[in-house]
Amino acid sequence: MTDPAIHKYSYFPGCSLATTAKENNASMVAFCRKIGVELVELEDWNCCGSSSAHSIDSELAAALPARNLSLAPEGRPLLVACPSCLLRLRQAQLHLLQNKDQQQWYQGTFDRPVDTQLEILHFFELLERLDISDVMPDAFERLKGLRFAPYYGCMLARPPELRHEKNYYGLMEKVLTSLGASPVHWRFASRCCGTFLSVVRPDVVTPMVNSIVDGARQAGAECVITACAMCHLNLEVRCRLPDSVPILHFSEALSLALGTAESDGWFSRHLVDPRPMLEQRGLLHSNG
Amino acid sequence: MHDTSSKTIVLSGSHNKFGEQVLKRAGTNFNRCLHCQSCASGCPFTGAMDYLPNRIIRLVQFGQIQPALESATIWACVACNTCSIQCPMAIDIPGVMDALRQMAIENGHQIAEPDVLNFHREVLNTIERYGRTHKLEIMLRYKIKKRDWFTDLNVGLKMLAKRKLDLTPSRVSDIGRIRQLFKKSSKDA
Ligand code: SF4
Ligand code: SF4
């Protein structure tokens, strides 16, 4: 642990953060920089296969993540922002470990080794390793009074082969509470957001999203805080309630506590504008 | 005593070829299933399913190829793992759904939810073209196939206005490698 580069991580943003959720990406990178963690984007990374590869083509579901594993520079853990990408990358790595022939084929195809030992970690795991009072000494109480509904969606549920990995239920509450915010108790923290059914079966997903957002409101939350860009998008685009609440990315909430949030670049991209609520709470500043 | 009349389902034990194929593909032993229905009670999408998740497992155990492969359930499953995380027998239920979906495509079965398949294909198409997904193109092509321009038009416009749908794709520069992966996969299929 004396490695001077210990705070340097390879970084896999994934398609959502690179496009629809740029504010999630920007706030993630800004937050990490502020706490002394440098994220080096994986050069020329490709899509992990999303929900579609494993759904209809298992071979691609293994191959696409494998290329990403081959791109990671040795000795530096790979930080993944999106919980679904994380699952795809980890599962592919696990299968690759068990299949030497496949390892060799990829190695030949990519002209470089595929790192089957690469440490792949989610943003949550990075946070868990840090002492918040250490890395955010000035942020205590910055979010004072903010009542939020922590929303994990399906990210904490994993396939049986990965079920013995550590579970991070409650991490958002733990971190945000130490920054002064108060979580509400509600029923929908781990209810799946509908993922791609949001596109194909809006008739199924809309009532579900409505009940999630309504559940947050009824529990007294001023906002929902999400840990996944896909959840964020679905909660925003599928909610049909006249009085929805703003949906914030966890990384945005952390940046708000550090005073580094960018009002225009980030919050202007939200479908439910969180700025009035944030201004009321004194969380947005004119530079923002 | 086995009743051999046509209405009786005979549990075929080791002679259930279909079950063996699914088992091999999915790599999870669904024969451990207790039919406790935890999966079905937890699944958020049973409203879009014709068979509950554990009943799909039952169909496979009974060698009922057609109802299993032509069910809407296998297409409604989003692999959220809500079921498998609470399955007392640690069965990878979405893994079974993946296997069934792919067998349905390969064996030319009727697809109960063609829109879902179209969507997945359009996602993979953009990955083959750019190395990354391109949401605007996925949506447009999906809509062209579906011949449905108006449902969700307001959602699309809102996303455009909020700059959530990029006009141009984010691209991988070494796209040749990506295409190679796609070629290999279609050859092996
Ligand atoms: S939860 Fe597991 S054991 Fe119970 S019915 Fe579902 S698959 Fe079978
Ligand atoms: S993985 Fe599929 S079957 Fe299981 S709970 Fe999610 S949608 Fe339902």
Side-chain angles (χ1 to χ4, degrees), chain A residues 260-279:
Chain A
T260 54
E262 283 176 33
S263 170
D264 289 341
W266 306 351
F267 301 122
S268 61
R269 294 172 50 90
H270 287 230
L271 262 55
V272 181
D273 194 341
R275 287 172 290 190
M277 183 271 289
L278 295 174
E279 270 156 23

Side-chain angles (χ1 to χ4, degrees), chain B residues 4-5 23 34 52 64 66 72 80 83 86-87 92 96 105 108 118 120 133 153 179 182:
Chain B
T4 47
S5 77
L23 203 137
L34 306 167
L52 296 174
Q64 298 287 296
Q66 194 169 347
C80 65
C83 53
Q86 46 190 322
C87 171
D92 182 359
V96 173
I105 298 170
N118 284 344
H120 288 319
T133 57
L153 188 62
R179 305 250 164 93
F182 273 80

Side-chain angles (χ1 to χ4, degrees), chain A residues 192, chain B residues 39 42-46 49 53 73 76-84 93-94 97:
Chain A
C192 169
Chain B
C39 51
C43 174
F45 304 105
T46 52
M49 294 177 172
T73 302
C77 171
V78 301
C80 65
N81 283 307
T82 310
C83 53
S84 43
I93 300 150
M97 305 288 185

Side-chain angles (χ1 to χ4, degrees), chain A residues 15-16 18-23 41 44-47 49-60 63-64 67 87-88 91 105-106 109-112 154 156-161 163 190-202 204-205 208 232-233 236-238 240 249 264-265 267-271 275, chain B residues 25 28 42 44-45 47-48 75-82 84-94 97-98 101-102 105-106 113 115-117 119-121 123-124 127 131-133 135 139 142 146 151-152 154-155 158-159 162-166 170-175 177-178 180-182 184-186 188-189:
Chain A
C15 297
S16 290
T19 58
T20 43
K22 288 197 180 86
E23 70 284 1
E41 192 167 318
D44 210 34
W45 58 270
N46 58 268
C47 170
S50 184
S51 297
S52 298
H54 76 80
S55 285
I56 63 171
D57 191 334
S58 293
E59 204 175 321
L60 274 179
L64 291 168
R67 179 172 176 275
L87 189 61
R88 299 295 146 223
Q91 217 168 6
W105 189 85
Y106 290 131
T109 309
F110 302 138
D111 267 339
R112 48 182 183 248
C154 71
L156 302 172
R158 283 168 298 214
E161 60 188 2
R163 67 160 40 174
S190 315
R191 177 66 57 88
C192 169
C193 71
T195 82
F196 64 83
L197 285 183
S198 170
V199 177
V200 189
R201 293 294 302 272
V204 173
V205 174
M208 239 178 63
H232 186 273
L233 184 66
E236 279 209 323
V237 302
R238 285 297 163 217
R240 285 284 166 281
H249 297 285
D264 289 341
F267 301 122
S268 61
R269 294 172 50 90
H270 287 230
L271 262 55
R275 287 172 290 190
Chain B
R25 249 178 199 260
T28 184
F45 304 105
W75 298 99
C77 171
V78 301
C80 65
N81 283 307
T82 310
S84 43
I85 197 82
Q86 46 190 322
C87 171
M89 302 311 286
I91 296 168
D92 182 359
I93 300 150
M97 305 288 185
D98 283 350
R101 226 178 279 118
Q102 295 178 26
I105 298 170
E106 284 162 26
E113 292 278 358
D115 288 348
V116 178
L117 176 57
F119 173 79
H120 288 319
R121 287 211 167 116
V123 171
L124 294 186
I127 302 176
R132 297 179 187 165
T133 57
K135 295 223 167 66
M139 293 312 301
Y142 171 76
K146 201 168 149 61
T151 318
D152 270 354
N154 59 341
V155 170
K158 255 193 237 160
M159 286 180 69
K162 289 287 179 180
R163 294 171 292 134
K164 285 185 173 288
L165 287 174
D166 291 344
S170 166
R171 288 169 190 268
V172 165
S173 51
D174 188 11
I175 193 69
R177 290 292 154 85
I178 302 286
Q180 229 174 317
L181 298 178
F182 273 80
K184 162 114 183 350
S185 142
S186 61
D188 292 355

